[in-house]
Amino acid sequence: MTGQSLLLIDGFNLLSRAHFATSYNRTDDQLKNSKGMYTNALRVFYQKIFNLIRDHRITHLSVVWDVKRDETARRKKYPFYKATRFELPEPLIHQYETCKAASDAIGIHQISLSPYEADDLMGALSKKWSGGDCYIYSNDHDLFQLLSETTSQIIAGKQGEYVYSLSHFQADYGIAPEQWVDVKALLGDSSDNIPGCPGIGEKSALPLIQHYGSLERIYENIEQLEPGLSRLKKKLIQGKETALLSRELSQITCDIAELDPLLMDDLKVSIRKDVLGEWLEQMELKIRIDSYGA
């Protein structure tokens, strides 16, 4: 199956970034077409998908969506998880609903599955894929734990987009991707309301995992921490419970039995150009529909 490549798109990550980037300092009316429908994020969303297909010669594609926050397994078990997040703005909600319906009609594969989050589905699909390169399009650094010889992440930076590979990660952090969850367990994540280990910051978390390899090994050696790390002993002991809890919340679930029946051939790029053209005209969106090269 040479010459094939899979693109997994974190749907909400792309759509929300597209919305906020194009709505800043603009009035509500400027986000709509002449029919009063919000379109500012949709234009960026679809143009980006077609550009990614073209630039990375994508043969298989899935847009992965989160389910409602309260439906996730993590939230059901720990109600504080993501409890500090703001509600989505109305224009974004409207465009999400439009996007879901349009993608079905256009022929873009989509998936969401309760009680899993988009990260879990991307993890499971990337592990299931065996056809060649896999690209994950998201700015979420939690996904670094999914990097491998064949799986890379496409990240949008200030200087443009770049492909972040396993070798880049190893050069930057000096650990394996599967150890990234232990770093996150110590750091926590304020955006997801994950507590981490209080008092352990970026300058301490990575060296701890680089030296000991895992959270378990840190606590196995807690009474004789290496010089330079021994000053962290009290904080680590006091924060052990929340660190272990944070790792549970940060660990991406890649073993999802419900996806076993899914055929990767179902993800083949098969855009219905006629339907897409009609929809773009109806929505008054100017996008080059030949840009994806299919």
Side-chain angles (χ1 to χ4, degrees), residues 113-124:
L113 179 64
S114 181
Y116 304 102
E117 297 179 52
D119 289 6
D120 301 318
L121 295 176
M122 288 187 286

Side-chain angles (χ1 to χ4, degrees), residues 253-271:
T253 301
C254 295
D255 185 11
I256 301 178
E258 293 92 327
L259 293 182
D260 289 347
L262 178 68
L263 300 176
M264 299 311 284
D265 281 350
D266 294 338
L267 278 59
K268 280 186 178 179
V269 175
S270 182
I271 308 296

